[in-house]
Amino acid sequence: MKNVAVILAGGTGKRMGAYLPKQFLKIAGKSIIEHSMAIFEKHAGISEICVVIHSNFVADVESIVREAGFKKVTKILCGGKERSDSSLAAIAAYENEKNVNLIFHDAVRPFVSQRIIDDVLTSLAEGKSVAVAIPSTDTIFKLNNVKCIESVPPRDFLYRAQTPQAFSYEIIKKAYDLALKDPDFKASDDCGVVLNYLPNEAIHIVEGDEKNIKITFEQDLATGKDLLI
């Protein structure tokens, strides 16, 4: 099977408040997206890398790939307004290939470990659909429409989602084909699409890591610097 890491980098980083999308901000002298690409470039089980980026920043990614000497980046695609548009761009790009797994990863999670990728690829080789998550250490409140507590779900069954999320090509393509026929389809992450439209497809959890953080706010940059020390 060909294992393709799909680096989802279509966001504009509005919550960060920066002049550049957050994936191009730097930690320890390298852009966040370069850190993310480098992790998958290094992993022996990853066949190639596909980056999905806003059309305004394709040239920036091309420059990073060229200067870093990445050999596995074979496709740089343009995403859309929603995360699902970026996933669909990658799905369309591999439509004519056989025996492909797509491993979707947020570009702004630059500290995913080789161990996590190992576990994801092992699960894929066993024919599983895979999500990465860690147990919730906080009590979670479910609220009603007036923002009062409606219930307190048992914490034992609550996990915090990370990425990668990984599927065989056939599964993720079928799920999105069904989603696009639904007039009420709303953008979701890829696990949500599979869960909603292929409810009989079990999505297995690979345990993540507290270090596999998502760079969302300015203070996360400082945390990221600490993780590289």
Side-chain angles (χ1 to χ4, degrees):
M1 294 290 287
K2 177 188 286 189
N3 294 313
V4 178
V6 179
I7 307 297
L8 300 171
T12 55
K14 293 179 180 178
R15 280 177 290 183
M16 182 72 76
Y19 67 95
L20 272 175
K22 56 190 174 182
Q23 56 267 28
F24 292 106
L25 299 180
K26 292 190 176 183
I27 298 176
K30 295 182 180 179
S31 65
I32 293 168
I33 191 172
E34 182 176 346
H35 284 291
S36 295
M37 287 191 287
I39 292 166
F40 288 94
E41 176 82 17
K42 179 180 177 181
H43 197 286
I46 297 298
S47 310
E48 61 185 72
I49 299 169
C50 167
V51 181
V52 189
I53 188 73
H54 190 283
S55 58
N56 290 349
F57 300 101
V58 169
D60 298 87
V61 174
E62 290 174 340
S63 177
I64 291 170
V65 170
R66 183 171 57 253
E67 292 176 12
F70 292 143
K71 303 299 184 185
K72 292 184 180 179
V73 180
T74 59
K75 293 180 175 62
I76 301 174
L77 309 175
C78 295
K81 182 179 179 182
E82 306 291 344
R83 178 198 166 102
S84 56
D85 296 325
S86 294
S87 296
L88 283 164
I91 291 167
Y94 288 91
E95 188 169 14
N96 295 322
E97 298 199 33
K98 296 180 179 180
N99 300 322
V100 174
N101 293 320
L102 297 184
I103 301 148
F104 298 94
H105 185 67
D106 295 330
V108 290
R109 288 190 187 272
F111 304 110
V112 62
S113 68
Q114 298 290 301
R115 190 274 303 167
I116 291 175
I117 300 172
D118 283 341
D119 290 349
V120 168
L121 296 185
T122 296
S123 292
L124 283 170
E126 295 170 353
K128 298 174 181 177
S129 295
V130 190
V132 174
I134 54 176
S136 176
T137 56
D138 296 315
T139 296
I140 304 296
F141 294 150
K142 181 181 178 183
L143 306 185
N144 60 21
N145 57 2
V146 292
K147 294 191 175 180
C148 293
I149 296 174
E150 181 177 282
S151 65
V152 183
R155 197 167 62 191
D156 291 348
F157 300 102
L158 298 176
Y159 277 64
R160 290 186 283 137
Q162 298 183 340
T163 62
Q165 296 180 358
F167 313 89
S168 69
Y169 182 86
E170 290 75 14
I171 290 295
I172 195 65
K173 175 70 160 60
K174 185 176 180 180
Y176 268 102
D177 283 348
L178 292 169
L180 293 175
K181 293 176 182 177
D182 181 359
D184 297 321
F185 171 60
K186 293 182 180 179
S188 172
D189 71 341
D190 302 300
C191 280
V193 175
V194 172
L195 186 65
N196 288 332
Y197 295 96
L198 295 176
N200 292 326
E201 175 66 21
I203 304 173
H204 297 262
I205 292 295
V206 161
E207 188 162 339
D209 192 305
E210 292 286 354
K211 293 181 180 179
N212 186 20
I213 65 170
K214 186 176 183 180
I215 307 295
T216 303
F217 301 104
E218 187 173 357
Q219 59 266 32
D220 296 330
L221 291 171
T223 303
K225 290 177 184 177
D226 292 339
L227 289 173
L228 287 174
I229 293 175

